[in-house]
Amino acid sequence: MVDEKKLKKAQTVYETLCAMLDEKKFHYDKHPQDLVITFVMHGDDIPMQFIVKVDAQRDLVRVVSPIPGVEFPTDKRLIGAIATSTANYKLADGSFDYDYDTGKVAFRLTSSYLDSIISKQLLEYMIGVSGYTIDEFNDKFLLLATGGMTIDDFVKKYK
């Protein structure tokens, strides 16, 4: 159970997130009971679904985006592991999570607000860098999963 002080701080962060998204004219769905916001961004290719959760228990803001349509088949699961590892090595913020059992990929970026106040600018940065990073890699992961790109070509591109 989350104590009242932590919950109040989490609600303030949630309200700050909503205010930033409103200022930037995002269309999003609120789930205030869970301190969650969901929305879709459109990049150069595949639409990106975002789930932003304020975690009152751990004093975190977590941005998660499952990569739609990307599911490495059983015979390409090692390729998925190599690709996400290669991509993660180049990233300054965030990472791709890879589930070897399912072949699915998601992007995750977190920031703590423990003993601090999180700003609209940081929340905007988190959304922006997440969108940029996902847009850079989502189509490449899809090509790898479907055999349209080799892992050698992927590694050469992002080495």
Side-chain angles (χ1 to χ4, degrees), residues 52 69 83:
V52 185

Side-chain angles (χ1 to χ4, degrees), residues 30 38 49 62-63 73 77 99 108 110 126 139 142 151 158:
K30 291 182 182 180
T38 57
Q49 176 191 358
R62 182 174 41 252
V63 177
R77 297 277 163 89
D99 185 329
R108 177 176 41 92
T110 60
M126 290 176 71
D139 57 327
L142 183 59
I151 191 61
Y158 293 107

Side-chain angles (χ1 to χ4, degrees), residues 2 4 7 11 20 31-32 48 53-54 71 74-75 81 97 116 125 128 146:
V2 180
E4 190 65 33
L7 184 57
Q11 288 169 331
M20 182 278 294
H31 310 274
M48 300 169 279
K53 165 106 174 118
V54 179
E71 189 171 326
T74 305
D75 64 328
D97 294 334
S116 64
Y125 171 80
T146 58

Side-chain angles (χ1 to χ4, degrees), residues 80-97:
I82 293 167
T84 52
S85 177
T86 299
N88 285 340
Y89 186 74
K90 298 298 258 180
L91 300 180
D93 286 318
S95 63
F96 288 99
D97 294 334

Side-chain angles (χ1 to χ4, degrees), residues 119-153:
S119 68
K120 289 180 188 176
Q121 291 80 11
L122 177 59
L123 294 166
E124 181 181 355
Y125 171 80
M126 290 176 71
I127 302 298
V129 78
S130 296
Y132 173 83
T133 303
I134 295 161
D135 198 38
E136 174 66 28
F137 288 98
N138 61 6
D139 57 327
K140 280 53 159 212
F141 290 148
L142 183 59
L143 286 170
L144 285 166
T146 58
M149 177 184 233
T150 68
I151 191 61
D152 290 336
D153 288 342

